[in-house]
Amino acid sequence: MISHRELRMRLIAGAEAGDAVMSTPVNWVHSSDLQDPTPWLEPGQVLLTNGAQFPAITTAGQAKGRALAGAYVTRLHDSGVLALGFAAGIVTDSVPAELIEACDEAGLPLIEIDPTTPFIAIIRFVADVISDDRRSRLEWSLEAQRAVARAALRADGLPAILLELSRRLGCWVALYDSARNVLTVPGLAPMPGELRADIDEAVHASLARGARGSVRVADEGVGYTMQTLGQTGHLLGVLVVGTMTPLDPAENDLVGSVIGLASIALEQRRALDAARRRLRTGLFELLLSGVVDVADRTATSLWGPLPEEPVHVSVVTGTVTGQSLFDELELAAARPEGGLFFAERGDEILVVSREPKDLEAVLQRHGLGFGCSAPVRWADLPRGLTEARRSARSVSRERSFVRFEHLAEQGLQGLLASSGGQLVARRLLEPVLDLPDQERDETLRTLRVWLWHNGAWDPAARELGVHRHTLRSRVRVVDALLGVDLESFAARAELWSALQLLE
């Protein structure tokens, strides 16, 4: 406004605050010659006056004039007035020195207006600027909303919407689903790592309340806005928009449109995801049945080709919450090279891939583990599934990724141990384990030595330091306790395995 030469205005006081005012949007320009016009003013306005109220200041004496000018300027400054415009040469010959001094002290910009400049010209100029700005923001809003609507029509509608919102606002954007997982969108600017923990906590609290709401956070160079999706009692997620300054009305309208579209997309996604999962389960059943050609053609038309043989079958272990893991698996399955296929079968999440190592990083991000089979052909998928399940039983906190080949290296005994064989062994030997401590230890040692000598009485008796008849008697007691016939090879082999598993 001051820089517009046709208005013939210049800054004569409050220069330190003048630069800030120059860059501050003016809400309106108001003219008044009242001693206290603040009841009719709003923050962000510029006040114009011709000084009709100031002769009292100049004739009241220096001290009193300063006090009156100071009180006047303080009222304007406290009410949020951006600047005071004074038209000299109409009522007073010049701008009163007391007023200039008061504006300097209060940091209120004082603008001298040429007496030939009508106030209506200033008001009209500001009105035109405000109108142009509103029209510009309206055009921006309409174009941005059209772009978001076009994005919603794409096959990857929800990710495309978030990418468009981020681009239009020039900031990072994150969408949490109802299970508190962040939607993975390739190409989307990431949330600042230092904010992740605080935002996670705030999102969790918002979803736990279950009520619709919006929160603005701004502190020490950090700013973001959180808005819930869905209705009270049925929240679908939380949208987080990382902007340093609060959103203006046009930006809020755009975010509102995105929230509406994202809510619809999330609702539709639930139904589509359920249908996709059922279809994947059906294809996996076809693959297990050996109908590989039909399954491959169907998968290719929907997601991409099945992985080329040989493949590994993996069984995911751990508790899966939300949609985030399935989002990542869907993206991996849709890659042109066709390196992965996944499905749900009962309570299991099954993944078939060329190289299971690629799956490890994805599952680790979600705190999950998996067991995988040795390489198999599609025709041998049932065997691969059995191997993967056996490997999954050996997954632990210390070892989240178990290959069947590693179990095979441990031999049959290692496989039994990793498959929960200890529990079966304890159940088989329970009658012996329930004996008094000394008798139990003696019986177990007797059995181990006797079986180590292949059931030969004399060498086993010599090692134990007992008579062979005593050894026979102890073995007959075990026969009776366990209800087995240790004269048979099968019973001896089973007993030996059980004893090995107990060690």
Side-chain angles (χ1 to χ4, degrees):
M1 183 173 70
I2 297 176
S3 59
H4 191 63
R5 292 182 178 180
E6 293 182 4
L7 296 179
R8 296 179 293 281
M9 304 165 66
R10 68 188 183 96
L11 183 67
I12 62 172
E16 292 183 359
D19 292 340
V21 171
M22 295 289 188
S23 59
T24 302
V26 176
N27 295 339
W28 192 243
V29 177
H30 185 72
S31 64
S32 173
D33 298 327
L34 295 175
Q35 286 286 350
D36 184 11
T38 55
W40 294 274
L41 298 177
E42 294 180 353
Q45 293 185 344
V46 172
L47 177 64
L48 306 179
T49 182
N50 58 21
Q53 71 274 41
F54 290 114
I57 293 176
T58 58
T59 59
Q62 190 175 21
K64 188 174 181 181
R66 286 179 177 176
L68 291 172
Y72 176 81
V73 169
T74 298
R75 287 193 295 271
L76 298 185
H77 185 272
D78 292 347
S79 68
V81 169
L82 293 179
L84 173 64
F86 192 101
I90 299 177
V91 176
T92 61
D93 293 334
S94 61
V95 180
E98 295 86 352
L99 184 63
I100 296 174
E101 182 180 349
C103 285
D104 272 328
E105 290 179 356
L108 179 70
L110 177 61
I111 303 167
E112 183 179 19
I113 304 171
D114 190 281
T116 62
T117 300
F119 284 177
I120 189 63
I122 299 172
I123 294 172
R124 185 181 296 114
F125 172 81
V126 172
D128 289 344
V129 170
I130 292 174
S131 177
D132 289 344
D133 182 64
R134 287 178 177 172
R135 182 172 59 254
S136 174
R137 293 307 289 167
L138 178 60
E139 291 173 354
W140 178 91
S141 179
L142 291 174
E143 173 54 29
Q145 295 204 39
R146 281 195 292 266
V148 167
R150 288 193 297 269
L153 297 176
R154 291 173 45 176
D156 58 340
L158 187 52
I161 289 171
L162 298 178
L163 285 167
E164 191 63 40
L165 176 63
S166 176
R167 188 175 74 84
R168 294 286 170 171
L169 296 184
C171 66
W172 60 266
V173 172
L175 178 62
Y176 286 76
D177 63 20
S178 57
R180 307 170 184 177
N181 297 305
V182 180
L183 181 67
T184 302
V185 180
L188 190 64
M191 181 192 313
E194 65 274 15
L195 299 181
R196 182 62 184 264
D198 291 339
I199 293 177
D200 282 351
E201 183 178 351
V203 167
H204 293 181
S206 180
L207 291 173
R209 286 194 298 271
R212 295 180 62 188
S214 175
V215 176
R216 170 71 189 166
V217 176
D219 181 38
E220 298 181 358
V222 173
Y224 57 88
T225 302
M226 294 172 39
Q227 295 198 39
T228 58
L229 283 71
Q231 302 298 320
T232 297
H234 184 59
L235 295 183
L236 300 171
V238 176
L239 179 68
V240 187
V241 179
T243 56
M244 294 300 300
T245 57
L247 301 175
D248 66 20
E251 292 169 336
N252 267 320
D253 288 344
L254 179 61
V255 171
S257 297
V258 168
I259 287 175
L261 291 170
S263 298
I264 295 172
L266 286 173
E267 286 284 13
Q268 292 176 337
R269 186 176 178 185
R270 288 182 175 181
L272 289 173
D273 286 342
R276 286 194 188 102
R277 291 182 187 182
R278 287 193 294 270
L279 181 54
R280 286 186 178 277
T281 300
L283 290 181
F284 195 83
E285 296 296 340
L286 284 177
L287 292 168
L288 283 175
S289 301
V291 191
V292 179
D293 55 344
V294 174
D296 187 35
R297 287 198 301 272
T298 305
T300 300
S301 64
L302 295 173
W303 300 289
L306 294 174
E308 294 181 2
E309 298 175 324
V311 296
H312 294 262
V313 184
S314 298
V315 173
V316 178
T317 63
T319 302
V320 178
T321 59
Q323 185 67 27
S324 184
L325 172 63
F326 297 106
D327 289 337
E328 292 196 53
L329 292 177
E330 284 283 2
L331 290 171
R335 290 171 186 160
E337 60 269 22
L340 180 147
F341 177 80
F342 75 96
E344 293 175 276
R345 194 168 187 252
D347 295 332
E348 293 178 321
I349 298 176
L350 309 170
V351 182
V352 182
S353 59
R354 289 289 308 277
E355 177 46 61
K357 195 69 177 177
D358 298 338
L359 184 62
E360 188 174 10
V362 174
L363 295 179
Q364 281 183 344
R365 284 197 294 271
H366 297 272
L368 302 170
F370 69 105
C372 78
S373 70
V376 296
R377 300 183 65 82
W378 281 109
D380 299 321
L381 190 63
R383 175 168 62 85
L385 179 56
T386 299
E387 292 178 356
R389 285 171 173 165
R390 287 175 178 169
S391 301
R393 295 190 192 107
S394 297
V395 170
S396 63
R397 184 175 299 178
E398 295 74 24
R399 189 169 61 159
S400 62
F401 173 28
V402 178
R403 289 179 179 266
F404 184 77
E405 298 98 308
H406 296 165
L407 293 180
E409 290 171 2
Q410 303 172 24
L412 184 58
Q413 201 67 28
L415 181 58
L416 290 173
S418 67
S419 303
Q422 293 93 337
L423 296 176
V424 178
R426 287 189 173 277
R427 192 174 299 117
L428 175 64
L429 294 169
E430 188 174 2
V432 174
L433 298 177
D434 287 342
L435 293 173
D437 292 351
Q438 184 175 353
E439 185 178 354
R440 177 197 63 209
D441 294 344
E442 181 181 82
T443 303
L444 290 174
R445 181 169 182 269
T446 296
L447 290 173
R448 288 192 176 99
V449 171
W450 179 63
L451 291 170
W452 176 257
H453 288 284
N454 299 316
W457 301 105
D458 288 339
R462 282 195 298 270
E463 182 174 337
L464 291 168
V466 299
H467 195 277
R468 66 178 181 276
H469 295 310
T470 302
L471 176 57
R472 288 179 182 274
S473 176
R474 290 180 182 178
V475 172
R476 282 196 297 270
V477 170
V478 174
D479 270 351
L481 282 172
L482 301 182
V484 297
D485 179 12
L486 291 177
E487 292 296 328
S488 70
F489 172 78
R492 291 183 183 184
E494 185 175 29
L495 182 58
W496 172 256
S497 296
L499 290 169
Q500 292 295 103
L501 290 168
L502 283 182
E503 293 182 349

